[in-house]
Amino acid sequence: MDNVKKALITGIAGQDGSYLTELLLSKGYEVYGIIRWDSIFTTQRIDHLYQDPHIKGTRLFLKHGDLTDSASIIKLITEIKPDEIYHLGAQSHVRVSFEMPEYTVNTNALGTLRILEAIRISKLPIKFYMAASSEMFGGINSPQNENTPFCPKSPYACSKVFGYDITKLYREAYGIFAANGIFYNHESPRRGDTFVTKKITRGIARIKAGLDKKLYLGNLDAKRDWGFAPEYIEAMYSILQQPKPDDFVIATGESCSVKGFLEKAFDYAGLGDYQQYVEIDPYYYRPSEVNVLIGDSSKAKEKLGWKSKINFNELAKIMIDADFRKYGLTPPGEGDGILKEKFPNRWWKVD
Ligand code: NAP
Ligand code: G4F
């Protein structure tokens, strides 16, 4: 078993962590994931992959730790001695970062530093992936690429700029294989319920099922470059398999407003005009907003051979089909068809 590669994932129970676990297990990795202590299980997204560690041949191991707790990070890295670390753990909600700026910066910025220091001190040849974000650009110059200056507009974005910079610094100063993925919004049926695409598709399913009458949202004019999470996970893996560490923008290159996503989603679900159901609640406005994000992934196309296959319209269909199933409704079915056609060799479980 000595040749088996070991990966350590922070944020394994999140959207991206769950897909990455499936991808790495499908490639024969032994996967270690950091979960936070809680009095209830918060591992629903990876429950289908988990096996009792007492069973021989188990390749997924969950370990307690926290990005705000240096000792737990150092202990896990020195004990596991991973070949690769995928650092996905974060307080990842932009609006929440205005409510909890100190916690966000501690987790996201200092959490990244804690891991890099643990790698440096361990002297192990660990490859490190940092989940950076298009939020760092602040939407000033569109489309953005790897050379676009940052203009962070939230505590979350500031924390990610620090994470990005410190990752680059440890690469340059200490020769660590440390790479940044500057990912644009990527969504899926496993997206957290409070992010806008999932809030919309879940809200539609609940309205259809007779559980809700209205959906309350904030700024409908903001535009995002929305892609499909499993595709982005393939790019993440590929970034750590390059001969040299480097930074990459990962995006579809197409942008759509929240309003545009609403129109597509309500239409596909057969509910007609979204305005009958959607009300604006200023609570969801942010103290400062990123108005437009569009990414230019030419470098990823050239060096990783990566290009997205799913656009926001198809994404809405995939997410609605899944949410209809979740609420016991018969899905329209086009989303399932898109998955079959575009991903005949899927490595993830369809939700
Ligand atoms: P997510 O679903 O919110 O998952 C984040 C994970 O981080 C969760 O598993 C969470 O644990 C864990 N976490 C939070 N605070 C922690 C702490 N103090 N210690 C240890 N773990 C902690 O996020 P995602 O969508 O998968 O995104 C993955 C990463 O990519 C994040 O860093 C995010 O900022 C970044 N990113 C995401 C996108 C996107 O569109 N999805 C785009 C660009 C960058 P619990 O499960 O216990 O809550
Ligand atoms: O879905 P969102 O909360 O995603 P946001 O803020 O773009 O951040 C996500 O993508 C980033 C990459 O660009 C990641 F780094 C980050 O971790 C996260 O995954 O909001 C999208 C847009 C915003 O402009 C927001 O103001 O939707 C608008 N919006 C309108 N109504 C809403 C709502 N957002 C949320 N969450 N909830 C609403 O009711």
Side-chain angles (χ1 to χ4, degrees):
M1 292 289 278
D2 277 355
N3 294 332
V4 173
K5 274 198 177 176
K6 286 186 199 173
L8 174 63
I9 305 176
T10 73
I12 192 167
Q15 170 188 258
D16 289 7
S18 70
Y19 284 116
L20 178 64
T21 304
E22 276 175 289
L23 180 66
L24 294 175
L25 289 175
S26 78
K27 290 182 182 294
Y29 278 66
E30 208 164 80
V31 178
Y32 295 79
I34 299 182
I35 50 166
R36 291 192 282 180
W37 180 83
D38 207 328
S39 59
I40 51 160
F41 288 117
T42 54
T43 50
Q44 296 86 337
R45 293 181 179 107
I46 47 172
D47 282 349
H48 62 289
L49 302 170
Y50 188 71
Q51 274 196 314
D52 186 330
H54 301 98
I55 297 172
K56 205 167 174 263
T58 297
R59 285 190 289 119
L60 171 59
F61 305 93
L62 301 180
K63 305 282 178 188
H64 281 121
D66 199 294
L67 289 163
T68 60
D69 177 20
S70 303
S72 69
I73 300 296
I74 294 169
K75 179 173 173 283
L76 288 172
I77 290 177
T78 48
E79 278 179 11
I80 295 165
K81 299 184 176 49
D83 299 285
E84 296 169 6
I85 295 180
Y86 294 87
H87 174 38
L88 314 181
Q91 190 302 92
S92 73
H93 203 287
V94 174
R95 199 183 61 79
V96 171
S97 79
F98 288 101
E99 289 171 12
M100 301 175 73
E102 183 183 335
Y103 176 77
T104 302
V105 169
N106 188 6
T107 303
N108 300 4
L110 295 182
T112 306
L113 175 63
R114 290 180 183 111
I115 298 178
L116 284 164
E117 264 299 271
I119 295 174
R120 184 183 72 79
I121 293 164
S122 77
K123 297 194 167 61
L124 293 165
I126 299 170
K127 291 184 179 180
F128 175 77
Y129 173 86
M130 163 63 194
S133 167
S134 52
E135 279 288 309
M136 301 187 304
F137 294 124
I140 300 297
N141 307 292
S142 289
Q144 302 89 18
N145 65 23
E146 292 79 3
N147 301 315
T148 305
F150 298 144
C151 181
K153 289 196 168 171
S154 63
Y156 169 82
C158 291
S159 74
K160 287 289 179 180
V161 170
F162 178 87
Y164 171 94
D165 281 338
I166 202 77
T167 297
K168 248 182 127 170
L169 177 69
Y170 272 58
R171 171 165 90 215
E172 287 160 14
Y174 302 118
I176 292 174
F177 190 115
N180 285 293
I182 307 174
F183 280 25
Y184 282 62
N185 301 51
H186 47 282
E187 322 288 315
S188 74
R190 297 186 200 170
R191 184 59 142 150
D193 289 340
T194 61
F195 296 91
V196 79
T197 55
K198 187 64 164 53
K199 194 169 161 184
I200 292 169
T201 59
R202 176 178 176 271
I204 286 174
R206 288 180 64 85
I207 290 169
K208 270 277 193 189
L211 297 170
D212 289 338
K213 290 198 163 43
K214 293 282 178 191
L215 176 60
Y216 296 92
L217 297 172
N219 176 13
L220 305 189
D221 295 321
K223 290 185 167 177
R224 290 291 182 273
D225 180 327
W226 276 302
F228 183 42
E231 296 194 73
Y232 287 52
I233 300 310
E234 289 176 351
M236 186 183 288
Y237 177 73
S238 176
I239 288 171
L240 277 204
Q241 312 315 312
Q242 296 309 297
K244 284 187 186 158
D246 204 350
D247 308 320
F248 292 92
V249 160
I250 300 295
T252 69
E254 242 189 294
S255 196
C256 166
S257 64
V258 175
K259 204 182 282 170
F261 191 89
L262 272 172
E263 281 164 0
K264 297 281 181 205
F266 272 83
D267 181 50
Y268 176 63
L271 283 175
D273 187 356
Y274 76 85
Q275 294 182 82
Q276 291 173 268
Y277 303 97
V278 171
E279 305 246 337
I280 301 301
D281 182 346
Y283 171 77
Y284 297 111
Y285 290 153
R286 294 161 185 196
S288 87
E289 175 65 282
V290 172
N291 294 320
V292 187
L293 285 172
I294 311 176
D296 170 5
S297 284
S298 308
K299 180 174 167 184
K301 189 174 177 205
E302 187 198 323
K303 297 208 167 170
L304 310 177
W306 185 89
K307 194 176 179 316
S308 68
K309 293 184 195 153
I310 297 290
N311 63 28
F312 61 85
N313 191 15
E314 294 165 317
L315 180 65
K317 291 177 179 175
I318 291 168
M319 291 176 71
I320 285 182
D321 278 5
D323 276 327
F324 268 45
R325 263 194 294 279
K326 201 166 169 187
Y327 283 91
L329 305 163
T330 305
E334 279 181 46
D336 294 337
I338 291 163
L339 286 178
K340 275 199 192 115
E341 186 199 321
K342 297 210 172 176
F343 305 99
N345 302 316
R346 265 191 325 271
W347 42 263
W348 69 92
K349 176 180 160 278
V350 173
D351 300 75

